[in-house]
Amino acid sequence: MRTRLAIKTHALLERFFPERRLFLRSDNDTRFIRLKSGTQAVAFMGAAGVVSWTIIATAILLMDSIGSGNFREQARREQVTYQQRLNALSSERDARASEAVAAQERFNAALRQISLMQSELLESETRRGELETGIDVIQETLRNTMKERELVGDRLATLEQQVEGGEAVASAGAGSDSTLNILSDALAATAAERDQVVADAQDALVRAAEMQAEIEGMEDKNDRIFRQLEEAMTVSVKPLDKMFKAAGMNPDTILNQVRKGYSGQGGPLTPLSFSTRGSEPTEDTKRANSILGQMDRLNLYRIAAEKAPFASPLKDKFRFTSGFGYRWGRLHAGTDFAAPHGTPIYSTADGVVIHAGWSSGYGRLVKIQHEFGIETRYAHMSKIRVKVGQRVSRGQRVGDMGNTGRSTGTHLHYEVRVGGKPVNPMIYIKAANDVF
């Protein structure tokens, strides 16, 4: 069986690969090498395998090259799109910053206008009090004048009776003429006094009517001022309420903490009292005190906003390179801002520096402790410009942007921590952008 199979196989190989001899001739001798059918078949298969492998490998390399080119082109397009998006976000941030500056200026102008309107309101109320006092005096004078008028009328009636009696006894003697003259003179004087009293009363009534009209005009003016102040307070205070709530901070709790540190009283925000008689306050007094309460709340908000990090740590142009959140299973506890090396970095709120030096991973790091249990961190700096224990204000320069610590390029890593726990800094920055 094996012999027949071998014979058939050999015959098949002989058919396709007949035995060949390779002669090698030299000057003195001739030799040959016999190439059997099996040897030729093995060599052919080896050569075919090498050629096949070369073709397949070349095809794979070509396909990989084409695919890599497509991937690079796609990556390039995505990078261009990403850069365009970053540029758009940067432009939007710059526009928001400009709007914030304009809003802050409008806010300051509104505060100045409110202060002027408050002064005008106080002067108006003082004038109104003076007019009311004047009306009281005029009314008292009018009452006294009416009483005097009645007395003069009584005296005039008495004199008229005496004159009539004097005419009846005129024939009694010459002495009655002098008595009649005296009575006539007294009657004329009394009548003149009566006419004067009547004229004074009429003048008092006219003056009282004028003062009443002036008071009504001042009441209308005060009502307009009150409405403008109430609208201004509503427009100013509600966005601040929204800003603190958006940052996860209870406005009433924050304001109570600020009020404890600023508990002195007096000045223009002291509640008004237009009556010294112990009577119930008027509606205008209640409205004025309500507005003053709103102004006091607005002032406390201003103080609280200075103590909380409602600001951006950079004033120059920058772009966001990484946000707050988890990355590959680890929390990125802040927001990264990329800008040129040495870009100034500013404190986002009033506070005290509790760390200024090297920290593993953060590189050159500044930590600032603020009110309400808030802490901010500024990492990877090239230079630190504050010291531990130093008190800083919002907008004060604390360092320069760098590439220290674990960093792949020049940027600022900015963190906000409340009660020791990291929170998204963009909550505070966006909350402030919506108001300022």
Side-chain angles (χ1 to χ4, degrees):
M1 186 71 179
R2 286 183 181 178
T3 304
R4 269 187 280 175
L5 180 61
I7 292 172
K8 290 182 179 181
T9 303
H10 182 72
L12 183 63
L13 291 176
E14 281 286 344
R15 180 179 176 183
F16 291 99
F17 302 101
E19 183 175 314
R20 300 178 183 276
R21 294 182 180 182
L22 179 63
F23 289 90
L24 302 176
R25 180 178 295 177
S26 63
D27 294 336
N28 300 323
D29 193 10
T30 300
R31 296 181 181 182
F32 66 90
I33 298 175
R34 190 174 67 175
L35 299 177
K36 296 181 178 181
S37 300
T39 304
Q40 295 180 46
V42 171
F44 177 79
M45 293 178 63
V50 171
V51 172
S52 300
W53 177 84
T54 302
I55 294 172
I56 293 173
T58 303
I60 291 174
L61 289 175
L62 289 174
M63 293 175 63
D64 184 66
S65 177
I66 294 172
S68 298
N70 292 335
F71 288 143
R72 283 195 296 271
E73 182 64 21
Q74 182 179 359
R76 189 184 66 80
R77 288 196 301 268
E78 291 179 352
Q79 183 178 7
V80 171
T81 303
Y82 180 69
Q83 291 291 340
Q84 291 175 349
R85 178 59 178 164
L86 288 178
N87 293 333
L89 290 175
S90 179
S91 300
E92 183 179 355
R93 179 194 60 80
D94 294 338
R96 283 294 185 90
S98 300
E99 291 175 0
V101 172
Q104 183 68 36
E105 292 177 354
R106 291 195 300 271
F107 181 72
N108 293 332
L111 282 182
R112 289 193 295 270
Q113 183 66 22
I114 288 172
S115 178
L116 294 175
M117 294 173 70
Q118 180 191 4
S119 301
E120 185 177 352
L121 177 62
L122 292 175
E123 293 175 359
S124 177
E125 289 295 337
T126 302
R127 177 60 178 162
R128 178 183 173 185
E130 294 175 353
L131 289 176
E132 289 178 346
T133 303
I135 288 179
D136 292 339
V137 173
I138 290 175
Q139 290 176 346
E140 183 66 26
T141 303
L142 183 58
R143 285 193 294 270
N144 293 335
T145 302
M146 297 302 292
K147 290 179 181 179
E148 292 178 0
R149 178 183 178 183
E150 292 174 358
L151 292 175
V152 170
D154 294 340
R155 289 173 58 190
L156 182 60
T158 301
L159 289 174
E160 288 176 348
Q161 292 175 1
Q162 291 178 358
V163 169
E164 292 175 356
E167 291 176 349
V169 296
S171 59
S176 62
D177 292 338
S178 60
T179 301
L180 182 61
N181 292 333
I182 293 173
L183 290 175
S184 297
D185 294 339
L187 180 61
T190 302
E193 185 177 354
R194 181 198 62 185
D195 295 338
Q196 183 62 42
V197 169
V198 172
D200 291 342
Q202 291 177 347
D203 291 340
L205 290 173
V206 172
R207 179 59 180 161
E210 292 175 352
M211 296 180 69
Q212 183 63 34
E214 186 176 354
I215 288 176
E216 291 176 356
M218 293 184 65
E219 287 178 348
D220 292 339
K221 181 179 179 181
N222 289 346
D223 184 64
R224 290 195 301 270
I225 293 175
F226 276 130
R227 286 199 303 270
Q228 292 176 357
L229 287 173
E230 288 166 350
E231 291 172 359
M233 288 299 98
T234 300
V235 171
S236 299
V237 173
K238 282 189 176 180
L240 293 171
D241 280 330
K242 180 180 178 181
M243 180 180 73
F244 279 91
K245 289 178 181 178
M249 306 170 71
N250 188 308
D252 294 330
T253 302
I254 296 300
L255 296 185
N256 288 335
Q257 293 184 21
V258 175
R259 191 176 286 110
K260 291 179 182 179
Y262 295 83
S263 57
Q265 296 183 353
L269 299 183
T270 304
L272 300 177
S273 178
F274 296 125
S275 175
T276 58
R277 301 175 185 175
S279 59
E280 290 294 325
T282 63
E283 290 299 322
D284 285 348
T285 303
K286 292 179 181 179
R287 291 178 72 182
N289 286 332
S290 175
I291 291 172
L292 291 176
Q294 289 290 87
M295 291 183 68
D296 179 58
R297 186 178 180 87
L298 183 64
N299 192 42
L300 292 175
Y301 267 134
R302 179 186 60 80
I303 296 173
E306 290 291 331
K307 295 180 178 295
F310 291 112
S312 173
L314 300 178
K315 297 180 181 179
D316 297 319
K317 293 184 180 298
F318 65 87
R319 68 184 183 93
F320 296 105
T321 54
S322 183
F324 180 90
Y326 281 89
R327 301 289 186 275
W328 303 288
R330 298 181 60 185
L331 176 64
H332 183 249
T335 299
D336 292 342
F337 303 80
H341 189 86
T343 298
I345 299 171
Y346 303 93
S347 173
T348 54
D350 299 348
V352 178
V353 179
I354 58 175
H355 178 89
W358 188 272
S359 178
S360 177
Y362 285 107
R364 291 189 178 90
L365 172 69
V366 170
K367 297 181 184 179
I368 301 178
Q369 184 67 47
H370 309 283
E371 297 288 340
F372 320 125
I374 300 176
E375 174 189 317
T376 55
R377 297 184 177 185
Y378 312 80
H380 307 307
M381 292 185 178
S382 61
K383 185 176 182 179
I384 296 175
R385 296 181 179 272
V386 291
K387 298 179 181 179
V388 174
Q390 180 178 344
R391 182 170 293 277
V392 296
S393 302
R394 168 180 288 176
Q396 182 174 341
R397 188 172 182 177
V398 297
D400 301 342
M401 188 179 294
N403 188 26
T404 57
R406 286 198 299 270
S407 172
T408 59
T410 300
H411 74 287
L412 166 66
H413 175 81
Y414 173 62
E415 290 186 16
V416 176
R417 293 176 178 255
V418 179
K421 296 181 179 180
V423 298
N424 190 349
M426 296 307 299
I427 294 176
Y428 291 85
I429 296 175
K430 289 182 178 178
N433 287 339
D434 292 337
V435 177
F436 301 116

